[in-house]
Amino acid sequence: MFFEDFTRNNNESSLQKSIYHMLYMLASFKEVEVSFNDNIDTKNYLEGEAEFYQYVKNLYFDMYHNNEKYKLDSTKYDEYMNSDKRNKGKFMVEKQHHQDAKESSLRNKFQQSVTFYFRFLYELGIYADICTDTFSLKISKNKYENVLKNAETAKVRGEIHERADILLSSGIDRQEYEDGYVFSCKKYPKMFLGLAVLCRAPESKYKWMNYMRLDYKRYHSPSPEMSDIKETMPQDSAHNINILTETLKGMPLKMRVKPMRNITSDFKWKVEFIYKSKSCIGFYVDYTSLLVCIYFNDSKNITAMADTLRNMDEELFEWYRNHIPERLCKCPNNRWVTLGDTRRRICGMSNRLDVNNPNESDMENCVKVLRTFRKL
């Protein structure tokens, strides 16, 4: 979801790109009616949902433009990514894939610093009780320590009290009483009702993902649906996915949606269609790109499929050959495949055909190849 009133910096840091990406991926706000038997009118819940959504939107804005205020910094990460050691080292070998432990550690540091604030709010909503007369949250000191403990991650260990105080300075008031604390917000007096809605959604492996996206629409459902994914896609990509899903409807396939990672510069929805317990086709998507994949499970199947298509349809074979990605990695799974009169190295960890940002013709070819390979 794009916010027209948001201005991006010309020279964004990796941190700012990640914050913007999280902001962009907020689900379209759609209020939900709930019944908690808390003697709180539905109108107040709906107002609280909108207020909490607005609070988090403003929090992203503030984080983006005031990194130091929230102890957010990707300087070391950006310096390393632009260093000669990184750009001329083994990690940048053409078409090489290699896990860069230092890159991962530096990235996790600033990303976990960002997500701490949202995890803190989430844990607060889980543990605290709603005060029905003031719409504030009340929590014992023992439970508050559990909130902090659960919000802690490896990269922010030892900083949780300080970071919690930073978040409270963003407009949240914490009043201490003998056995605990009361949390309220003057600007958004009902926002904690909205937080309570998200935290009381059905338990599932998607609950935290939905909370990170402030996905009120999915409050009543344990898992995201195709319509949720298409809302985050460009119109052309959504159109092509419609072509794919409509074509697959008559096939004996099961759809599996994997949750988005919380905050990375390249996180995507991952959707796979399963046939006889194996992935056969799927796609990765975010707000800028779409990657459709056909899975062959073994490198030998890629060679065999090339022979089949070459004898069946020369034009489709050429399309197939052009979309088998070459991988020059040195991992033990690297394999040779034969594609007509050419040989190509691939990574046997994927054994797949990739189509980046496909058009309608590409989608039709994907289905033809899938039907031929799986005999569907």
Side-chain angles (χ1 to χ4, degrees):
M1 179 178 184
F2 182 72
F3 297 103
E4 294 182 355
D5 54 343
F6 185 76
T7 302
R8 301 181 70 176
N9 291 350
N10 292 328
N11 297 311
E12 286 182 321
S13 65
S14 297
L15 168 67
Q16 289 174 317
K17 288 179 181 178
S18 286
I19 294 173
Y20 176 78
H21 199 80
M22 292 182 72
L23 175 65
Y24 197 106
M25 291 304 290
L26 286 180
S28 302
F29 176 72
K30 296 180 180 179
E31 62 188 20
V32 296
E33 293 189 10
V34 294
S35 178
F36 292 165
N37 298 319
D38 283 330
N39 298 319
I40 299 177
D41 187 77
T42 299
K43 177 176 177 293
N44 289 322
Y45 272 117
L46 299 182
E47 290 177 359
E49 293 169 17
E51 287 187 2
F52 184 64
Y53 190 95
Q54 186 63 45
Y55 167 79
V56 172
K57 172 186 167 182
N58 289 344
L59 184 59
Y60 278 127
F61 281 18
D62 200 24
M63 283 183 171
Y64 182 93
H65 293 293
N66 298 289
N67 303 161
E68 293 182 1
K69 174 181 175 182
Y70 295 93
K71 290 194 65 177
L72 304 175
D73 187 9
S74 64
T75 302
K76 290 183 178 180
Y77 177 84
D78 291 327
E79 288 177 349
Y80 172 67
M81 294 301 289
N82 293 320
S83 67
D84 289 342
K85 181 178 180 181
R86 167 74 186 187
N87 292 329
K88 296 181 181 180
K90 60 185 177 181
F91 306 111
M92 296 305 290
V93 175
E94 183 183 6
K95 299 176 184 175
Q96 170 80 287
H97 71 80
H98 194 290
Q99 183 176 0
D100 186 346
K102 184 171 183 178
E103 182 275 337
S104 178
S105 178
L106 292 172
R107 171 165 43 84
N108 285 339
K109 173 65 177 178
F110 74 79
Q111 290 178 348
Q112 289 181 21
S113 296
V114 174
T115 55
F116 167 83
Y117 297 105
F118 300 95
R119 187 167 290 279
F120 173 82
L121 288 170
Y122 176 79
E123 295 293 338
L124 188 63
I126 293 291
Y127 277 94
D129 298 316
I130 299 173
C131 298
T132 57
D133 53 341
T134 60
F135 309 123
S136 56
L137 290 181
K138 187 175 183 179
I139 187 170
S140 69
K141 291 182 178 179
N142 286 338
K143 287 185 177 180
Y144 183 67
E145 289 302 315
N146 287 335
V147 167
L148 294 174
K149 180 180 179 180
N150 291 343
E152 185 180 45
T153 58
K155 298 298 183 179
V156 297
R157 188 157 291 138
E159 304 175 1
I160 54 175
H161 285 87
E162 180 184 2
R163 290 184 180 275
D165 289 341
I166 290 172
L167 181 63
L168 298 178
S169 69
S170 67
I172 297 176
D173 181 57
R174 179 182 61 192
Q175 294 292 329
E176 184 176 3
Y177 66 95
E178 183 179 355
D179 296 320
Y181 305 98
V182 174
F183 292 86
S184 61
C185 180
K186 185 176 181 180
K187 185 175 182 179
Y188 301 112
K190 300 178 183 179
M191 64 170 261
F192 286 116
L193 297 181
L195 174 61
V197 169
L198 292 168
C199 290
R200 298 190 187 193
E203 292 292 340
S204 78
K205 64 181 180 180
Y206 299 97
K207 183 175 180 179
W208 169 243
M209 180 196 76
N210 286 344
Y211 166 78
M212 288 293 291
R213 297 179 63 237
L214 297 182
D215 203 344
Y216 289 95
K217 177 186 176 184
R218 296 257 52 84
Y219 170 83
H220 292 298
S221 175
S223 64
E225 299 173 353
M226 188 64 73
S227 59
D228 302 298
I229 299 170
K230 289 190 290 188
E231 282 187 7
T232 66
M233 299 168 63
Q235 187 174 357
D236 289 346
S237 294
H239 172 68
N240 288 325
I241 289 302
N242 280 337
I243 294 175
L244 178 64
T245 54
E246 286 299 314
T247 305
L248 298 180
K249 274 186 177 180
M251 302 183 190
L253 307 176
K254 293 182 179 180
M255 187 178 75
R256 179 169 64 196
V257 179
K258 293 193 175 182
M260 296 181 297
R261 285 177 284 173
N262 291 341
I263 170 175
T264 59
S265 58
D266 64 347
F267 72 80
K268 306 174 179 73
W269 290 97
K270 181 179 181 181
V271 178
E272 291 180 326
F273 293 89
I274 311 301
Y275 178 66
K276 294 183 177 180
S277 301
K278 293 184 178 180
S279 299
C280 63
I281 190 169
F283 61 87
Y284 298 81
V285 67
D286 62 16
Y287 65 91
T288 60
S289 62
L290 170 64
L291 173 64
V292 177
C293 308
I294 298 178
Y295 302 96
F296 295 96
N297 306 124
D298 190 292
S299 60
K300 294 178 182 178
N301 292 333
I302 294 179
T303 294
M305 189 62 188
D307 293 337
T308 299
L309 293 177
R310 193 179 192 188
N311 294 325
M312 183 183 76
D313 185 329
E314 187 68 27
E315 185 176 346
L316 183 59
F317 163 73
E318 286 297 333
W319 178 89
Y320 172 85
R321 177 163 60 179
N322 291 335
H323 289 90
I324 300 295
E326 184 176 32
R327 300 285 186 239
L328 302 181
C329 55
K330 297 179 181 179
C331 73
N333 298 289
N334 197 268
R335 298 288 186 272
W336 283 100
V337 294
T338 302
L339 305 171
D341 55 1
T342 63
R343 296 186 76 205
R344 184 174 301 165
R345 285 172 60 182
I346 69 165
C347 181
M349 295 179 67
S350 58
N351 295 311
R352 73 189 194 197
L353 175 150
D354 289 356
V355 187
N356 283 295
N357 296 317
N359 55 33
E360 288 191 25
S361 177
D362 291 324
M363 301 307 293
E364 292 173 359
N365 285 337
C366 281
V367 174
K368 289 178 183 177
V369 171
L370 175 66
R371 285 186 179 277
T372 303
F373 176 61
R374 298 290 178 179
K375 297 179 174 59
L376 294 170

